[in-house]
Amino acid sequence: MKNNIPVEKNKEYILEITGTGFKGEGVAKVENYTIFVPEALEGEKVKVRIVKVNKNFGFGKLIDFEVKSKDRVEPICSIYNKCGGCQLQHYSYHKQLDFKRQRVVDAIKRIGKIDIKDEGIKDTIGMEDPYRYRNKVQMPVREEGGKIKIGFYKSRSHDVVEVKECFIQEKVADKAIYVIKEWMEKYNISAYNEKKNKGLLKHIMVRKAFKNNDETMIVLVTNSKTIPYKDELIESIRENIPTITSIIHNINTKNTNVILGQKCVTLWGKDYITDYIGKFKFNISPLSFFQVNPTQTEVLYNKALEFADLKGNELVFDAYCGTGTISLFLSENCREVYGVEIIKEAIDNAKINAKQNNIHNAKFIVGKSEEEIPKLIDQGKLPDVIVVDPPRKGCDEKLLKSISKTNASKIVYVSCDPGTLARDLGLLDNLGYKTEKVQPVDMFPMTSHVETIVLLTKENQ
Ligand SMILES: C[S@@+](CC[C@H](N)C(=O)[O-])C[C@H]1O[C@@H](n2cnc3c(N)ncnc32)[C@H](O)[C@@H]1O
């Protein structure tokens, strides 16, 4: 025992898994010292090799089982424990949904200190088929030992695990990997080397429309301004992928973690694909943000509509609106909606989206929500309902304070991070907004990501 740490690196122990971490990993205690065991489930008894020892916690590698959980299933993917993409494939789907709800419950009670009955936090809405749900995939292209590898980064590293079939992506992405790899090998096209900032092909991105004839876009991200043997590539893609409607060259010569560069050249077909959420039509270009699980996006947005409970005469604010998708969903049921978003290109898209759906009561503003919404309020625009859908870090406190001065009767909060959601619900509680209903929605099956939509109502109205 070193420095009172009760386990030693590289030694094996039999541990009882008594808890679950944020990423779905098992948690065991040895004399109050915490050990995280990825791929172990609560209730299991497992043999573990200690691989890392920190001052307050350590990590163990699962070696064998003494007792298995009834919630354990065989992962569908053969590279599941190498690739960093999924964390919960060894959970039954029912258990995944329970895990996500429990994360929300814990955060709301511990961080937000919200006094809400358990029934107020609903069961997670899952998918009928929780596989092949993603409409977009981005995969790094690298070379190792003279072999091209296209796949995903290993967890916490930039080593690429080769992928032949990914069960959360659309099947067309598997085909694209095959065709592009074959073309690279045939014409000796180099893969990118991050350390040297050399080599041609950095990433491939594939996007597919789920509700519009399977329209498919392939984007090749290169470290060069031109692509050799591009006609041969176009021919091969068209021959092997009949649904292809768009082949794009994206130029990114910077040595950066940002995948896409700003410049796109259409090599063949259209500059965008078109897809629908509900009855609304969206043009999706390579750089546009678009929700990656279109089936559950519709579920989420319909929940937003239900929580907003609009009667037709309301003024609505949609803060952090992206390409205006929620604004458009709400527009038909209210008098006017204002969407605010920090990225100009997203607002350009939002305006186009509104126009092509014949929506005239949605207005869009570029800027920070915490600056633009107070300005709207100062101009006398007093909202009845406010939707917020912030990034992981949650809402700016300035925005929440300014909202609370408006007398808006409802706030609909869409969140991709239970921790910051809970913090903001706590702040809103102090500002007079009561958490009424909490609904987790499974937007990312097989992963530990949790999406939640919450209805808050103004007290004493
Ligand atoms: C989770 S996305 C939501 C997008 C959209 N509501 C949707 O469903 O597609 C969060 C958005 O907030 C934007 N954003 C980040 N910080 C912002 C800020 N301070 N003010 C306004 N928008 C911001 C991001 O660019 C991103 O588009």
Side-chain angles (χ1 to χ4, degrees), residues 39-66:
E39 289 176 57
L41 281 169
E42 199 169 330
E44 292 187 325
K45 197 171 175 187
V46 289
K47 188 195 253 186
V48 164
R49 182 177 313 119
I50 301 297
V51 289
K52 198 166 183 184
V53 176
N54 294 331
K55 192 171 158 227
N56 297 320
F57 56 88
F59 290 91
K61 185 175 164 44
L62 175 63
I63 295 175
D64 207 354
F65 296 96
E66 298 248 316

Side-chain angles (χ1 to χ4, degrees), residues 289 291 301 318 320-323 325-326 340-343 367-370 389-391 393 416:
F289 173 84
Q291 295 276 0
Y301 289 180
D318 177 14
Y320 310 91
C321 72
T323 49
T325 39
I326 297 181
V340 180
E341 159 65 42
I342 200 165
I343 295 181
K368 293 184 178 171
S369 295
E370 60 273 25
D389 183 5
K393 67 177 179 183
C416 54

Side-chain angles (χ1 to χ4, degrees), residues 57-210:
F57 56 88
F59 290 91
K61 185 175 164 44
L62 175 63
I63 295 175
D64 207 354
F65 296 96
E66 298 248 316
V67 179
K68 273 191 187 183
S69 163
K70 63 176 185 355
D71 294 313
R72 171 172 292 280
V73 294
E74 198 52 45
I76 191 169
C77 174
S78 61
I79 56 161
Y80 168 56
N81 52 9
K82 295 197 189 97
C83 164
C86 297
Q87 300 80 37
L88 303 183
Q89 269 193 28
H90 60 292
Y91 280 55
S92 65
Y93 190 49
H94 175 74
K95 175 78 181 165
Q96 292 185 25
L97 299 178
D98 280 355
F99 159 75
K100 293 187 185 197
R101 177 180 179 274
Q102 196 54 46
R103 266 201 66 193
V104 177
V105 171
D106 291 347
I108 286 186
K109 299 212 161 153
R110 280 192 213 146
I111 302 170
K113 307 226 175 336
I114 301 291
D115 181 26
I116 177 167
K117 289 204 179 90
D118 259 16
E119 312 86 84
I121 305 179
K122 308 287 176 203
D123 288 343
T124 312
I125 304 177
M127 296 188 77
E128 232 167 81
D129 176 5
Y131 295 102
R132 304 277 186 198
Y133 60 83
R134 285 186 64 102
N135 59 9
K136 178 179 113 171
V137 53
Q138 300 182 124
M139 287 171 288
V141 182
R142 299 290 180 268
E143 201 174 306
E144 207 182 278
K147 268 188 69 188
I148 303 290
K149 279 182 161 184
I150 303 178
F152 296 110
Y153 293 129
K154 279 184 197 163
S155 181
R156 290 187 295 271
S157 106
H158 267 204
D159 293 342
V160 171
V161 185
E162 192 167 18
V163 170
K164 290 208 168 69
E165 190 174 22
C166 171
F167 294 91
I168 61 169
Q169 314 293 352
E170 249 301 318
K171 270 200 161 122
V172 72
D174 303 338
K175 192 85 189 175
I177 300 175
Y178 176 79
V179 171
I180 291 169
K181 202 170 161 223
E182 195 183 54
W183 165 77
M184 290 180 77
E185 284 165 355
K186 186 165 178 192
Y187 296 102
N188 214 5
I189 307 292
S190 59
Y192 184 62
N193 180 318
E194 261 177 307
K195 285 191 188 121
K196 297 182 180 158
N197 193 24
K198 283 210 168 107
L200 188 110
L201 193 55
K202 288 177 125 175
H203 267 82
I204 62 173
M205 175 166 104
V206 184
R207 279 186 131 157
K208 189 184 136 172
F210 273 44

Side-chain angles (χ1 to χ4, degrees), residues 407-418:
N407 270 337
S409 62
K410 293 186 197 90
I411 297 175
V412 179
Y413 194 134
V414 182
S415 156
C416 54
D417 186 296

